[in-house]
Amino acid sequence: MAKILVTKYEHQADATVCEVAHESQADLCWYEAAYEPQAHGDATWYFVDYATQASFKIFKVKFGSQADIKAFQVKTPEQAGWRDAENRFKGKMG
């Protein structure tokens, strides 16, 4: 399950993430789970408050050129998933 912590500093993160404006620009389309048990795989995220709870830590950046993962939030879990099958973080978030 992808329990995500947004870090304050880049060096604390497993990956840098840029939120892109359009789904077509994304490496990963993600869905935010309301409850921890709903989170699974890399694409359904549940946000946590502490590093000890997290399965993956991200640092948000402004530009796609700075990001390891370009992400786009989708409205349903069925839409969530990797668009870039070759991304080095595939299978490592959840």
Side-chain angles (χ1 to χ4, degrees):
M1 107 178 44
K3 295 187 284 184
I4 305 295
L5 175 71
V6 179
T7 64
K8 291 184 180 184
Y9 303 103
E10 186 174 353
H11 73 275
Q12 296 171 327
D14 297 314
T16 54
V17 173
C18 176
E19 288 284 335
V20 294
H22 305 284
E23 184 176 348
S24 61
Q25 299 170 320
D27 298 325
L28 174 66
C29 290
W30 64 277
Y31 173 78
E32 184 175 354
Y35 302 100
E36 185 177 342
Q38 295 173 327
H40 62 282
D42 292 339
T44 305
W45 294 2
Y46 178 76
F47 288 95
V48 296
D49 295 322
Y50 302 102
T52 56
Q53 299 171 316
S55 63
F56 200 77
K57 297 174 280 219
I58 64 171
F59 179 77
K60 292 186 177 182
V61 294
K62 286 187 177 186
F63 304 105
S65 60
Q66 300 170 313
D68 296 316
I69 302 168
K70 290 177 268 189
F72 180 79
Q73 186 175 7
V74 292
K75 296 181 192 265
T76 67
E78 294 78 24
Q79 296 173 300
W82 284 98
R83 301 302 189 258
D84 175 10
E86 302 298 318
N87 192 289
R88 66 182 177 174
F89 292 100
K90 184 177 181 183
K92 297 185 176 163
M93 298 177 80

